[in-house]
Amino acid sequence: MNTTARTLRSSVSVAGAGLLLAATGVALAPAATADSGLPALAVSTAAPAEIGLAGQPVGFTTTASNVGKNDTSSTRLIYHIDGGGGLPPNALSLQYRLSGTAWKTVPLKMSDLKFFGELPETFPLAAGQSRTVQLRIGLPMGTPHNGDSNGGTDHLKLTTMISYGAAGAANDVDEDTVKVGALSTSLSGVPATAVVGGPGVTFRATVSNPTPSAYENVTDVLYTNRHTTVHVLRSGAWKTLKPITSNAEPDLYGFDVIGKDASMAAHSSTSVKVRVAYRKGAALGKTDVAPCAIVNEGSIPFRGSTFCGESASIKLTAAASGRPTPTASAKPSAKPSAKPSAKPSATASAPAGTGTHTPTASATPSTTTTAPADTRTHTGTDTQLASTGSSGVSAIAVAAAALVAAGAGALGFAALRRRRARG
């Protein structure tokens, strides 16, 4: 059991676990099984402290013990997982192995928004003997290149039951709580101003994985308007990125700044230097750049399990002399101007609540938090950086919000909102 777990033992479990066992088709064994010639079994699960929403599974173990005087030839392990009602049917995975190196699937059924499953194999357990089973649990939120864009949670309640034979009498119940985290994405060192027709401004885009889950098929998207040219610095040279658009919002451009379908190890991060140039024709005044990490994006642009960070505002100005002149760009700030929390929505805090989120300054579609009066920072060269927060909503933020509302990224927005709520 992890530190937040508690174990229910047979005689005291009757009232509290009766409904749970009924839901799984397992009855609770009488307290006096050891005196009736039947096995007396106990179970303890060392659940993972945390897993990542839309990430790869994390390993754990369950130990089954025969604490009585009678042998059993068919020990059963039954699992119940409750994500709080915010998970779709294809959100959860559970695997096991009794021997060898191959992982096998525990079939899961969903009932009343909760998941139930039992190891397909039983095993003998002599009196006084224990056996540890290896398992791993994950929240893939869909399948590769078809990630769920709705749903999420900030924790799982994992219940393990042990039984024997075909009758289904459960001897013992163990309960654990597993935290659910998610990817976070941020921009740092974004200059406060840029010159239309100028050479561009530079800043840094970072996506972080604070969870013990590895991630596959990660795309970190920088959203801008259609008047931009975006480069990333790779191997010492600037590479021009191809814009990606959606039919729903043709004026919203997205750029894959770390490359499509990247892999991220547990507890890792990746960062890239970005240069954004605003071409002639871009409207003067405020515009935004906004980051979102998308897991398992499919054939529809921007659709997948999405985790968004705070946007940054840039004021576009005309060249003072009538000729394009460079704008002093900021060195990457040592401290990101917006630091999303490591915990998910139903993302990021996704994994946290489930709902939709948009890459606006506040990163939530329904609640706006006013930024502090002076949120700007300066680099060593005293170049003014962009402020982050919600001191207004640009066309980019509105367009990105529309994509999320259409189902392109509801998951990550909810997750981020949960992270902030927890401070």
Side-chain angles (χ1 to χ4, degrees), residues 101-172:
T101 59
W103 289 101
K104 301 178 182 180
T105 298
V106 177
L108 296 174
K109 295 181 180 180
M110 196 174 194
S111 176
D112 193 26
L113 301 179
K114 300 176 181 65
F115 296 88
F116 301 90
E118 179 176 349
L119 259 65
E121 299 179 66
T122 62
F123 51 90
L125 206 57
Q129 183 184 23
S130 295
R131 181 166 184 178
T132 297
V133 180
Q134 293 181 305
L135 300 105
R136 59 183 187 182
I137 187 170
L139 280 171
M141 299 300 294
T143 56
H145 301 293
N146 188 25
D148 292 325
S149 59
N150 246 326
T153 184
D154 61 359
H155 75 281
L156 297 175
K157 182 180 178 181
L158 173 65
T159 302
T160 309
M161 291 167 283
I162 190 167
S163 179
Y164 58 89
N171 275 184
D172 197 18

Side-chain angles (χ1 to χ4, degrees), residues 50-53 180-184 208-211 215 307 341-345 347-351 415 419:
E50 181 183 15
I51 62 174
L53 188 72
V180 177
L183 298 178
S184 66
S208 300
N209 175 18
T211 78
Y215 276 81
F307 310 89
S341 146
K343 189 168 181 180
S345 86
T347 183
S349 280
R419 285 198 301 271

Side-chain angles (χ1 to χ4, degrees), residues 277-334:
Y278 292 88
R279 300 187 299 273
K280 291 180 179 180
L284 302 182
K286 177 186 173 183
T287 188
D288 280 359
V289 286
C292 288
I294 304 175
V295 182
N296 286 320
E297 182 180 20
S299 59
I300 300 175
F302 314 136
R303 184 178 180 87
S305 300
T306 306
F307 310 89
C308 292
E310 288 187 353
S311 62
S313 297
I314 300 174
K315 182 179 180 180
L316 300 184
T317 62
S321 64
R323 298 187 315 178
T325 58
T327 297
S329 59
K331 294 181 181 178
S333 171

Side-chain angles (χ1 to χ4, degrees), residues 38-319:
L38 299 175
L41 306 180
V43 68
S44 178
T45 290
E50 181 183 15
I51 62 174
L53 188 72
Q56 299 297 299
V58 175
F60 69 100
T61 59
T62 291
T63 299
S65 302
N66 187 342
V67 296
K69 300 178 181 179
N70 302 293
D71 299 343
T72 178
S73 60
S74 54
T75 305
R76 299 167 57 195
L77 291 176
I78 304 106
Y79 292 88
H80 164 264
I81 303 104
D82 184 359
L87 298 175
N90 62 354
L92 187 73
S93 70
L94 185 63
Q95 297 172 304
Y96 78 100
R97 58 188 182 195
L98 285 172
S99 60
T101 59
W103 289 101
K104 301 178 182 180
T105 298
V106 177
L108 296 174
K109 295 181 180 180
M110 196 174 194
S111 176
D112 193 26
L113 301 179
K114 300 176 181 65
F115 296 88
F116 301 90
E118 179 176 349
L119 259 65
E121 299 179 66
T122 62
F123 51 90
L125 206 57
Q129 183 184 23
S130 295
R131 181 166 184 178
T132 297
V133 180
Q134 293 181 305
L135 300 105
R136 59 183 187 182
I137 187 170
L139 280 171
M141 299 300 294
T143 56
H145 301 293
N146 188 25
D148 292 325
S149 59
N150 246 326
T153 184
D154 61 359
H155 75 281
L156 297 175
K157 182 180 178 181
L158 173 65
T159 302
T160 309
M161 291 167 283
I162 190 167
S163 179
Y164 58 89
N171 275 184
D172 197 18
V173 180
D174 177 282
E175 293 181 353
D176 296 87
T177 299
V178 181
K179 175 185 173 183
V180 177
L183 298 178
S184 66
T185 181
S186 63
L187 305 176
S188 60
V190 181
T193 61
V195 176
V196 173
V201 293
T202 60
F203 52 91
R204 189 162 290 277
T206 301
V207 58
S208 300
N209 175 18
T211 78
S213 291
Y215 276 81
E216 299 293 335
N217 302 325
V218 178
T219 303
D220 194 31
V221 179
L222 177 71
Y223 289 105
T224 68
N225 64 39
R226 64 187 179 91
H227 296 287
T228 55
T229 300
V230 176
H231 305 82
V232 294
L233 188 63
R234 289 180 182 156
S235 301
W238 289 103
K239 178 181 178 181
T240 303
L241 298 182
K242 180 181 178 181
I244 301 169
T245 61
S246 167
N247 292 334
E249 293 292 342
D251 290 334
L252 181 71
Y253 274 20
F255 297 87
D256 298 342
V257 294
I258 65 170
K260 187 173 174 60
D261 296 337
S263 299
M264 295 192 70
H267 304 295
S268 68
S269 65
T270 184
S271 182
V272 65
K273 194 171 185 179
V274 179
R275 184 173 69 194
V276 178
Y278 292 88
R279 300 187 299 273
K280 291 180 179 180
L284 302 182
K286 177 186 173 183
T287 188
D288 280 359
V289 286
C292 288
I294 304 175
V295 182
N296 286 320
E297 182 180 20
S299 59
I300 300 175
F302 314 136
R303 184 178 180 87
S305 300
T306 306
F307 310 89
C308 292
E310 288 187 353
S311 62
S313 297
I314 300 174
K315 182 179 180 180
L316 300 184
T317 62

Side-chain angles (χ1 to χ4, degrees), residues 301-400:
F302 314 136
R303 184 178 180 87
S305 300
T306 306
F307 310 89
C308 292
E310 288 187 353
S311 62
S313 297
I314 300 174
K315 182 179 180 180
L316 300 184
T317 62
S321 64
R323 298 187 315 178
T325 58
T327 297
S329 59
K331 294 181 181 178
S333 171
K335 181 178 180 181
S337 52
K339 185 179 181 182
S341 146
K343 189 168 181 180
S345 86
T347 183
S349 280
T354 63
T356 25
H357 214 157
T358 63
T360 64
S362 66
T364 66
S366 57
T367 304
T368 300
T369 303
T370 303
D374 184 8
T375 59
R376 295 172 297 180
T377 60
H378 293 77
T379 64
T381 57
D382 202 39
T383 301
Q384 191 177 64
L385 302 184
S387 61
T388 59
S390 58
S391 55
V393 180
S394 72
I396 291 174
V398 172

